[in-house]
Amino acid sequence: MNIKFSLLILAVIITASTFYYTQNLVNELEDSEKEIVQLYANSLEFIAGSTSNSNEDFTFIFENIIKRINFPLILTDKDSNPLLNSTGSGLKNIEIDSTLSESDVKKFIKEKIQELKKINAPIDVLYTDVRGNEQIFGKIYFGNSNIIQKLQYYPFLQILFAFFFITIAYISFSYLKKTEQSNIWVGMAKEIAHQLGTPISSLMGWTELLKLKLSKPNEVLNVAHEMESDLSRLNKITNRFSKIGSKPNLKDKNLVEVIASVLLYFEKRLPQTGKDVTLIFPENPPINLMLNPELFEWVIENLLKNAIDAIGNRKGKIKISIKETEKQVEIEVADNGKGISNKNKKDIFKPGYSTKSRGWGLGLSLSKRIIEDYHQGKLLLKNSIVDEGTTFQIIMKK
């Protein structure tokens, strides 16, 4: 709804500003042409008053005034009869069909006079009689030049283009919105499947192991404990998705312990996946931050799963390192997997983006939102080189 309103406001602003600017320009040009007509009238008055001196040179008037007239103009007597043989010519920029008879030409010119009269009021050509009184001896009817006529239609063309632009923009925004929504739903479905995949696979593995350990009560208890851990994780996943979209409750937690608990869970279950991956987490002193532990664990899990998938079937390692400064804490998750190509780097945080057939439709997008919107931190792709590895960085304020 906001996009529709914004586009409507933009269209109104474009239309109003275009119309205002063009109208001012047209008015200025009309005033300029009216001044030229007035000069022409004054010139005719001057010529009329100078008939006694036949030696006067009127070249300046013809060169600098009459030749500047680039709009339709008809000179008439005081009764609006055209003066076709008057000084300076009674017609300017009026196209007359050469096949017309003399009577048809006069009729055409009279119709043209009425047409010009509707566009601009005629300017009177005056002279002073022997008694000193001003008398009208002619009138000048004139229209608008081609450039004014074109400018008068320009706002409508601009409005048409603005409407076309707004329509295209609206269709594009609608398409992008639908595409994003579709990507989010697809991504959410993939992410749920991906989140549930690990504990469900583990439970299936523990079930098979339980059948083999029935004769060993102590080992059965260990398996039951791990099954309980996976069931607890399923409940935690449910709570995570319920927190998306609501304001999280941040608590003062030991960051090192939160990360260590996630690594411990993965270390016990990696052998079941058939992956030859070593998790490295150097010893760190306690670092307390305001966290939502369930959501922050989700971010670490997503980054670990992404790294494990990137390593594939090769022998790999994932290292999580923590660097504490006076104002912030930096967490890096580095792997020696296949890396991310340059063309994909700009898309990895977009909802629904994935290069795999399952999972990771929303993992990085949700992780970025959890860190940046809920914890006011930053999640960045620090570096990635194809066939060498990738490093993600989380920056948290203290």
Side-chain angles (χ1 to χ4, degrees):
M1 190 67 185
N2 289 335
I3 291 177
K4 293 180 182 178
F5 183 73
S6 300
L7 290 174
L8 179 61
I9 293 297
L10 179 62
V12 171
I13 291 173
I14 291 174
T15 301
S17 58
T18 301
F19 184 81
Y20 176 77
Y21 176 79
T22 307
Q23 195 59 40
N24 278 347
L25 188 59
V26 168
N27 290 338
E28 289 179 9
L29 288 171
E30 285 180 342
D31 290 341
S32 176
E33 291 181 357
K34 190 173 182 179
E35 288 177 3
I36 294 174
V37 175
Q38 187 62 59
L39 282 173
Y40 180 51
N42 293 342
S43 301
L44 293 176
E45 292 169 1
F46 176 74
I47 294 171
S50 303
T51 53
S52 59
N53 189 353
S54 60
N55 294 324
E56 291 195 49
D57 186 5
F58 300 118
T59 304
F60 176 83
I61 294 173
F62 287 100
E63 291 293 330
N64 294 280
I65 297 176
I66 296 176
K67 283 189 176 182
R68 288 177 58 191
I69 297 174
N70 61 348
F71 45 86
L73 180 147
I74 299 176
L75 177 63
T76 71
D77 60 19
K78 64 180 181 178
D79 297 319
S80 298
N81 297 311
L83 302 175
L84 302 182
N85 298 317
S86 62
T87 305
S89 177
L91 298 178
K92 287 288 290 184
N93 303 305
I94 302 290
E95 292 185 5
I96 300 176
D97 189 349
S98 59
T99 61
L100 294 177
S101 64
E102 185 176 347
S103 59
D104 288 336
V105 169
K106 289 181 180 180
K107 183 181 178 181
F108 170 78
I109 294 174
K110 286 185 177 181
E111 290 174 354
K112 200 70 178 176
I113 289 172
Q114 295 304 314
E115 183 182 319
L116 297 178
K117 187 177 180 180
K118 293 177 181 178
I119 299 173
N120 293 304
I123 292 180
D124 296 331
V125 181
L126 307 174
Y127 76 99
T128 305
D129 60 18
V130 292
R131 297 178 181 178
N133 298 321
E134 285 191 340
Q135 302 290 336
I136 298 174
F137 79 85
K139 293 182 179 181
I140 301 175
Y141 292 87
F142 64 102
N144 293 326
S145 61
N146 287 333
I147 189 169
I148 290 180
Q149 293 177 28
K150 290 177 181 178
L151 283 172
Q152 287 174 337
Y153 291 107
Y154 180 75
F156 300 101
L157 291 174
Q158 194 76 345
I159 292 169
L160 185 63
F161 284 127
F163 175 77
F164 177 76
F165 167 76
I166 298 298
T167 302
I168 295 298
Y170 176 74
I171 293 172
S172 300
F173 279 127
S174 299
Y175 173 77
L176 289 174
K177 188 176 180 181
K178 287 180 181 179
T179 303
E180 185 177 356
Q181 289 175 342
S182 175
N183 287 340
I184 288 173
W185 283 112
V186 171
M188 185 67 76
K190 287 183 177 181
E191 185 59 27
I192 291 172
H194 205 208
Q195 286 287 314
L196 295 176
T198 301
I200 290 174
S201 297
S202 295
L203 284 169
M204 292 173 67
W206 295 130
T207 303
E208 293 298 319
L209 189 60
L210 191 61
K211 293 176 182 177
L212 299 173
K213 303 291 184 180
L214 287 175
S215 60
K216 301 177 181 179
N218 290 335
E219 293 186 17
V220 168
L221 286 174
N222 290 333
V223 173
H225 176 73
E226 293 300 333
M227 292 178 72
E228 184 180 4
S229 176
D230 282 319
L231 289 170
S232 176
R233 175 174 166 78
L234 286 173
N235 185 56
K236 184 181 290 186
I237 289 170
T238 304
N239 289 333
R240 286 172 179 172
F241 279 101
S242 69
K243 285 180 170 61
I244 296 298
S246 59
K247 187 175 180 180
N249 182 24
L250 303 182
K251 301 175 182 178
D252 188 14
K253 290 288 183 179
N254 184 349
L255 174 67
V256 177
E257 288 183 358
V258 172
I259 295 175
S261 67
V262 177
L263 287 172
L264 181 62
Y265 180 86
F266 272 82
E267 282 176 344
K268 291 184 177 181
R269 285 151 184 81
L270 270 174
Q272 298 178 26
T273 65
K275 304 278 187 180
D276 186 8
V277 178
T278 303
L279 301 179
I280 304 170
F281 185 44
E283 207 170 312
N284 292 278
I287 301 173
N288 279 50
L289 293 174
M290 295 302 293
L291 301 172
N292 182 290
E294 290 180 340
L295 293 179
F296 194 85
E297 285 176 6
W298 193 359
V299 174
I300 300 300
E301 288 174 15
N302 277 331
L303 295 178
L304 285 175
K305 285 180 182 179
N306 199 36
I308 292 169
D309 287 338
I311 290 169
N313 296 322
R314 71 177 78 180
K315 184 174 182 178
K317 62 179 181 178
I318 302 171
K319 181 178 180 181
I320 298 182
S321 57
I322 300 177
K323 178 183 177 183
E324 184 180 13
T325 64
E326 185 179 347
K327 295 183 178 181
Q328 63 186 32
V329 177
E330 299 174 4
I331 306 108
E332 292 187 359
V333 180
D335 65 68
N336 63 340
K338 62 183 180 181
I340 302 169
S341 65
N342 289 330
K343 69 175 183 178
N344 289 331
K345 286 180 181 178
K346 66 180 185 301
D347 297 324
I348 59 171
F349 291 112
K350 290 182 179 179
Y353 171 79
S354 177
T355 57
K356 299 181 287 294
S357 59
R358 61 181 295 275
W360 283 95
L362 275 186
L364 284 176
S365 177
L366 284 173
S367 297
K368 191 172 183 68
R369 181 174 181 181
I370 289 169
I371 295 298
E372 298 188 357
D373 292 353
Y374 295 163
H375 292 86
Q376 281 70 55
K378 290 183 180 180
L379 173 58
L380 310 168
L381 174 62
K382 186 176 181 180
N383 59 66
S384 186
I385 301 174
V386 176
D387 294 329
E388 291 189 20
T390 300
T391 301
F392 283 94
Q393 184 182 57
I394 300 171
I395 301 174
M396 300 286 289
K397 296 178 182 178
K398 297 179 70 175

